[in-house]
Coordinates of all heavy atoms in Angstrom, one line a residue:
Y1310 N 16.3 127.7 36.2 CA 14.8 127.5 36.4 C 14.1 129.0 36.5 O 14.9 129.9 36.9 CB 14.3 126.6 37.4 CG 15.0 126.9 38.8 CD1 14.3 127.8 39.7 CD2 16.0 126.2 39.4 CE1 14.8 128.0 41.0 CE2 16.5 126.4 40.6 CZ 15.9 127.3 41.5 OH 16.3 127.4 42.7
Q1314 N 6.8 133.5 42.2 CA 7.1 133.6 43.6 C 5.9 134.4 44.2 O 5.7 135.6 43.7 CB 8.3 134.3 43.9 CG 9.6 133.5 43.4 CD 10.9 134.2 43.6 OE1 11.0 135.2 43.2 NE2 11.8 133.5 44.3
L1322 N 15.3 132.6 37.9 CA 15.8 132.2 39.3 C 17.1 131.4 39.1 O 18.1 131.9 39.0 CB 14.7 131.6 40.0 CG 13.4 132.4 40.3 CD1 12.2 131.6 40.8 CD2 13.7 133.6 41.1
G1323 N 16.8 130.1 39.2 CA 18.0 129.2 39.1 C 18.8 128.9 40.3 O 18.5 129.5 41.3
R1326 N 22.4 129.5 44.9 CA 23.2 129.0 46.1 C 23.3 127.5 46.2 O 23.5 126.9 47.2 CB 22.8 129.6 47.4 CG 21.3 129.2 47.6 CD 20.8 129.3 48.9 NE 19.3 129.3 48.9 CZ 18.6 129.3 50.0 NH1 19.0 129.4 51.1 NH2 17.2 129.1 49.7
K1346 N 23.8 122.7 48.8 CA 23.0 124.0 49.0 C 23.9 124.8 50.0 O 24.4 124.3 51.0 CB 21.7 123.6 49.8 CG 20.8 124.8 49.8 CD 19.3 124.3 50.2 CE 18.3 125.4 50.4 NZ 17.1 125.0 50.8
R1409 N 22.2 117.5 49.5 CA 20.8 117.2 49.4 C 20.8 116.1 48.4 O 21.4 116.1 47.4 CB 20.0 118.5 49.0 CG 18.6 118.1 48.7 CD 17.8 119.4 48.7 NE 18.0 120.3 47.6 CZ 17.5 121.5 47.5 NH1 16.7 122.0 48.4 NH2 17.7 122.2 46.5
R1416 N 11.8 121.2 38.6 CA 10.7 121.8 39.2 C 9.6 122.2 38.1 O 10.0 122.3 37.0 CB 11.2 123.1 40.0 CG 12.3 122.8 40.9 CD 13.5 124.0 40.8 NE 14.7 123.6 41.4 CZ 15.0 123.8 42.7 NH1 14.1 124.5 43.5 NH2 16.1 123.3 43.3
H1479 N 4.3 124.1 54.2 CA 5.5 124.2 53.5 C 5.9 125.7 53.6 O 7.2 125.9 53.8 CB 5.3 123.9 52.0 CG 6.5 124.0 51.2 ND1 7.0 125.1 50.7 CD2 7.4 123.0 50.7 CE1 8.1 124.9 49.9 NE2 8.3 123.6 50.0
V1481 N 6.4 128.1 51.5 CA 6.8 129.0 50.3 C 6.6 128.0 49.0 O 7.5 127.7 48.4 CB 8.2 129.5 50.5 CG1 9.3 128.4 50.8 CG2 8.6 130.4 49.4
N1483 N 6.1 128.3 46.1 CA 6.3 129.0 44.7 C 6.5 127.8 43.7 O 7.0 126.7 44.1 CB 7.6 129.9 44.9 CG 7.3 131.1 45.8 OD1 6.2 131.4 46.0 ND2 8.3 131.6 46.3
D1485 N 8.9 127.3 41.7 CA 10.3 126.9 41.7 C 10.6 126.0 42.8 O 11.6 125.2 43.0 CB 11.3 128.0 41.7 CG 10.9 129.0 42.8 OD1 9.8 129.5 43.0 OD2 12.0 129.2 43.6
N1486 N 9.7 125.8 43.8 CA 9.7 125.0 44.9 C 8.8 123.8 44.9 O 8.5 123.1 45.9 CB 9.5 125.7 46.3 CG 10.7 126.8 46.4 OD1 11.8 126.6 45.9 ND2 10.4 127.9 47.2
M1487 N 8.2 123.4 43.7 CA 7.5 122.2 43.4 C 8.2 121.3 42.5 O 8.3 121.7 41.4 CB 6.0 122.6 43.0 CG 5.2 121.5 42.9 SD 3.5 122.0 42.4 CE 2.6 122.1 43.8
I1494 N 10.3 119.7 48.5 CA 11.6 120.3 48.4 C 11.6 121.7 49.0 O 10.6 122.2 49.0 CB 12.0 120.3 46.9 CG1 13.6 120.6 46.8 CG2 11.2 121.5 46.1 CD1 14.1 120.5 45.4
D1495 N 12.7 122.1 49.4 CA 13.0 123.5 49.8 C 12.3 123.7 51.2 O 11.3 124.3 51.3 CB 12.5 124.5 48.8 CG 13.5 125.6 48.7 OD1 13.8 126.1 49.9 OD2 13.9 126.1 47.6
Y1496 N 13.0 123.3 52.2 CA 12.8 123.5 53.6 C 13.2 124.8 54.1 O 14.2 125.0 54.8 CB 13.2 122.3 54.4 CG 12.5 121.0 54.1 CD1 13.0 120.1 53.2 CD2 11.4 120.6 54.6 CE1 12.5 119.0 52.9 CE2 10.7 119.5 54.3 CZ 11.3 118.6 53.3 OH 10.6 117.5 53.0
Ligands
LIG1124 MG1 13.9 127.2 46.2

Side-chain angles (χ1 to χ4, degrees):
Y1310 55 83
Q1314 300 176 303
L1322 294 168
R1326 55 165 166 173
K1346 191 167 173 179
R1409 179 159 69 187
R1416 310 139 191 270
H1479 183 283
V1481 60
N1483 296 333
D1485 54 307
N1486 292 336
M1487 182 182 266
I1494 196 169
D1495 218 312
Y1496 293 92

